[in-house]
Amino acid sequence: VMRLGDFKKLDPKTGEVAQAPAVYHAQFMAETAVPAFSSKGPTSDGRIKPDVLTPGHFTESIHSDGVINGNTERCGDTQRMQGTSMATPIGAGGAALVRQYLREGYYPTGAKNDRDAISEPAAALIKAMIINGAEPMGPYRKYMIGKSLEFLNQVPDTIQGYGRMKLDTTLYFRDDAKAKAEAA
């Protein structure tokens, strides 16, 4: 299960703080298949798209009735959704984390250092770091077409781009437990 943060809100039913997963994705779909409804490339001028993939199938999110000051009866409930409405916030959040990493000076040492901070990192640098850390889903992963499954090609390709976004392969932190385990 992939989980990005928690959402806390006052539950009007009980008067207590309710906690629910902000974003959650079933591991099977996140790691084994690209949904058939995903956009594919190439672009009309031949560029490879997408650049990377983020989970957007069977994603669980906080329920909203879509109305400000609307019915709060389902406050704290979650709902399963799919599509770019689910995948795009994960990609945008990942890009924001890369930007913060650079602005706070974690690159290149993995420790916060004001002297290494990049005050306005270029969008191309952020994109390059995301692509660099992407993990290919193929050829051992499959692409869902209707009810059949097909193997993916080597990256980059026009179905998965460079693969799924995986920031921990790009963003190094000196005190990271993973880094310590690898060094031992």
Side-chain angles (χ1 to χ4, degrees):
V1 171
M2 182 171 126
R3 185 175 174 152
L4 303 173
D6 287 317
F7 179 83
K8 296 179 181 180
K9 187 171 181 178
L10 186 64
D11 186 339
K13 297 177 207 169
T14 64
E16 298 176 5
V17 174
Q19 185 170 343
V23 179
Y24 150 99
H25 192 279
Q27 186 173 2
F28 170 76
M29 293 310 299
E31 294 186 8
T32 61
V34 178
F37 61 78
S38 289
S39 296
K40 296 152 203 65
T43 62
S44 61
D45 61 0
R47 289 175 292 135
I48 293 174
K49 292 294 175 183
D51 294 315
V52 294
L53 298 177
T54 56
H57 196 224
F58 294 121
T59 303
E60 195 163 326
S61 182
I62 295 298
H63 179 270
S64 168
D65 61 10
V67 180
I68 297 174
N69 297 324
N71 182 357
T72 58
E73 192 173 300
R74 293 186 59 193
C75 173
D77 288 352
T78 60
Q79 61 185 359
R80 283 195 175 182
M81 298 176 68
Q82 61 188 19
T84 54
S85 297
M86 298 289 100
T88 301
I90 295 171
L97 290 172
V98 172
R99 185 174 190 272
Q100 179 180 0
Y101 180 88
L102 295 168
R103 286 184 54 119
E104 293 185 3
Y106 283 95
Y107 179 81
T109 64
K112 189 172 182 176
N113 183 341
D114 291 339
R115 290 177 294 152
D116 290 330
I118 301 171
S119 63
E120 293 299 325
L125 174 60
I126 294 168
K127 179 179 176 179
M129 290 180 73
I130 290 169
I131 287 173
N132 181 63
E135 180 178 80
M137 292 182 70
Y140 52 92
R141 304 295 183 187
K142 296 180 179 180
Y143 172 69
M144 296 173 9
I145 300 179
K147 294 188 184 217
S148 66
L149 296 172
E150 294 182 8
F151 287 102
L152 294 170
N153 297 316
Q154 296 289 345
V155 296
D157 70 18
T158 57
I159 295 173
Q160 65 177 318
Y162 288 87
R164 72 174 140 251
M165 181 187 286
K166 191 164 181 180
L167 297 181
D168 69 347
T169 59
T170 299
L171 306 182
Y172 166 74
F173 290 97
R174 186 182 302 162
D175 296 329
D176 190 353
K178 178 180 170 185
K180 287 180 180 178
E182 289 173 356

